[in-house]
Amino acid sequence: MSSYLSLLKTPGVARVIGAQLTARFPFGMLSLAFLIHLERVYDSYGAAGLVLGAMSIGQAIAGPLTSRLMGRWGIRPVVLVTMTVCTISIVLMALLPLAVYGVMLIGFLAGLSMPPIQPAVRTIYPKIVNSRQLTPLFSLDASAQEIIWVLGPVIATFVAIQVSTVAGILLAAVFLVGGGLWFVSLPEVGRVRIPRSKRAIGAVLKKPEVLLSTIVGFMLVAACAAVEAGVVAAFGHGSAESGWVLAIFAVGSLIGGLALGHAPIGPWALAGRMLIVTVGLALAAFDLGFWWLAVTLLLAGVGIAPAFAVLFGIVSASVKFSDTAEAYGWVGTGQLIGAALGSAVAGFLIDHSGPTAAIIVAAGFAALGTLIPALGRRWHPDLRGRDIGPIPDTEPIRTIQVS
């Protein structure tokens, strides 16, 4: 813990982490708040899954595009514009009485305009710490973001039940605006200028390391989305137990991130961390009682933040600085497509086979996320003892030969 406290004393680190966590806090609230709200409005988890899927698909499309735009227009303008459009869309989804397809369209727009906070902050980190501090910072960040998933579901569930589902969604919109404005006001954000990439969009996916991170991130988040839907369905939208179970799931991730933050990242690191998630989710499917789910999802959570830290480290060490934001955008796209698929498949199975089926599907996604890096370990860089900062952008320099 002393190393993390020392890291937080580095100028700019604590405020960047705090601002980006606040700006991203709605991500921990919106899925559950919309799931409860839409199930109550349309009396169907399938309908709720479709809307959440549409939102995630919008985010997936926007990920590499808005990330790349930050290299053209700058971080601040892109975050401010997307934040405004996204906030308006979320408020309309909560207030307007529309058919399911209408909410899906607005949800798609909300996802399309979700501020690219995560790619921005992952690009900023190498500029505010040295290369030796970067691995612990990625781990600390992955662990700290679990605050979003600890408090977000609890707050969303509490407000939805005690006040109204609309109030829960509007509260998330307040966090989105407040956190976004705090983030863009930071001096570190103003000082970092992302170079404009000279390569075609999508070319960064030709890097096997980026593709591996994108695919495994897809599997991991699909598993988490399916678990979220299954837990809510298991306890019903009127119970606060679902929020507490999901919070415990996130606490496991927080514990794992802090405990494994300094573990060496070798070729088996990603598969090993995903195996922890797989075992926990497989055990969870045997019983949907509160305490059994709490214990097994706590175990599954231990592998999540460490797996994300490995994904971030792989990308950072494998691409040029000008391509970093887009690379993280594609990794985020993989995760969001996973969230869309996980929510949609889980919602369909819950309606037809019950919540246990959603947990089984989650374990299946996690198992694939374990198998893929195990089979593709030759594309998994060995980062033990290596500088994981992004590769500097270089270009030919004209020289004059004096005879």
Side-chain angles (χ1 to χ4, degrees):
M1 289 298 294
S2 60
S3 60
Y4 291 120
L5 292 175
S6 175
L7 183 61
L8 288 173
K9 293 178 181 179
T10 303
V13 169
R15 59 174 171 254
V16 170
I17 291 178
Q20 65 101 0
L21 287 178
T22 305
R24 293 169 56 210
F25 195 77
F27 298 172
M29 298 178 62
L30 283 174
S31 293
L32 193 55
F34 273 122
L35 188 68
I36 297 171
H37 175 72
L38 295 168
E39 193 280 333
R40 187 170 294 179
V41 171
Y42 300 108
D43 193 27
S44 169
Y45 282 105
L50 288 173
V51 174
L52 292 174
M55 184 182 295
S56 295
I57 291 171
Q59 286 182 265
I61 294 173
L65 298 177
T66 52
S67 299
R68 195 176 177 90
L69 284 175
M70 289 191 293
R72 181 183 295 269
W73 297 341
I75 296 174
R76 283 173 170 164
V78 173
V79 170
L80 285 171
V81 170
T82 53
M83 178 191 71
T84 301
V85 176
C86 184
T87 302
I88 293 172
S89 301
I90 289 171
V91 171
L92 292 178
M93 290 173 70
L95 298 179
L96 293 182
L98 298 171
V100 174
Y101 71 85
V103 183
M104 287 178 65
L105 288 174
I106 300 178
F108 177 76
L109 178 60
L112 199 62
S113 57
M114 198 68 74
I117 302 294
Q118 191 175 56
V121 78
R122 301 281 182 265
T123 305
I124 291 170
Y125 281 155
K127 298 300 180 181
I128 60 175
V129 299
N130 59 46
S131 59
R132 181 179 53 83
Q133 295 175 302
L134 199 51
T135 297
L137 179 55
F138 279 142
S139 182
L140 177 62
D141 178 83
S143 301
Q145 74 177 356
E146 293 307 321
I147 295 172
I148 298 171
W149 309 109
V150 172
L151 297 180
V154 174
I155 292 174
T157 304
F158 178 82
V159 175
I161 294 172
Q162 299 299 324
V163 185
S164 72
T165 55
V166 171
I169 296 169
L170 295 181
L171 179 61
V174 171
F175 275 109
L176 181 62
V177 173
L181 292 176
W182 182 15
F183 181 74
V184 298
S185 70
L186 295 178
E188 290 77 14
V189 175
R191 286 197 293 264
V192 173
R193 176 66 176 142
I194 302 174
R196 183 180 298 188
S197 178
K198 298 178 180 178
R199 304 205 297 169
I201 188 168
V204 71
L205 285 175
K206 294 180 181 178
K207 300 281 292 185
E209 300 89 347
V210 176
L211 190 59
L212 177 66
S213 298
T214 301
I215 294 172
V216 175
F218 166 93
M219 296 299 174
L220 178 56
V221 176
C224 293
V227 165
E228 185 174 280
V231 168
V232 171
F235 295 105
H237 60 67
S239 171
E241 289 179 312
S242 58
W244 287 111
V245 168
L246 292 173
I248 291 169
F249 187 33
V251 167
S253 180
L254 178 62
I255 293 170
L258 294 177
L260 301 175
H262 290 82
I265 300 178
W268 288 97
L270 192 51
R273 287 154 173 79
M274 287 299 299
L275 181 60
I276 298 173
V277 182
T278 303
V279 171
L281 295 183
L283 291 172
F286 284 96
D287 184 8
L288 298 188
F290 177 86
W291 289 110
W292 179 257
L293 282 177
V295 172
T296 54
L297 292 185
L298 180 70
L299 170 62
V302 168
I304 293 177
F308 277 125
V310 173
L311 294 177
F312 302 150
I314 290 173
V315 172
S316 178
S318 303
V319 300
K320 292 183 177 180
F321 181 62
S322 59
D323 293 323
T324 302
E326 184 187 340
Y328 284 126
W330 282 111
V331 172
T333 289
Q335 295 172 13
L336 291 164
I337 294 174
L341 185 62
S343 295
V345 172
F348 176 82
L349 290 176
I350 289 167
D351 283 344
H352 291 80
S353 304
T356 300
I359 307 298
I360 293 173
V361 165
F365 279 125
L368 287 173
T370 303
L371 184 62
I372 291 169
L375 295 177
R377 62 187 179 277
R378 65 193 180 100
W379 296 306
H380 186 310
D382 188 347
L383 302 180
R384 291 172 294 187
R386 277 185 53 189
D387 178 359
I388 69 166
I391 301 169
D393 286 272
T394 58
E395 58 185 23
I397 300 175
R398 292 187 62 185
T399 61
I400 300 175
Q401 183 175 1
V402 179
S403 56

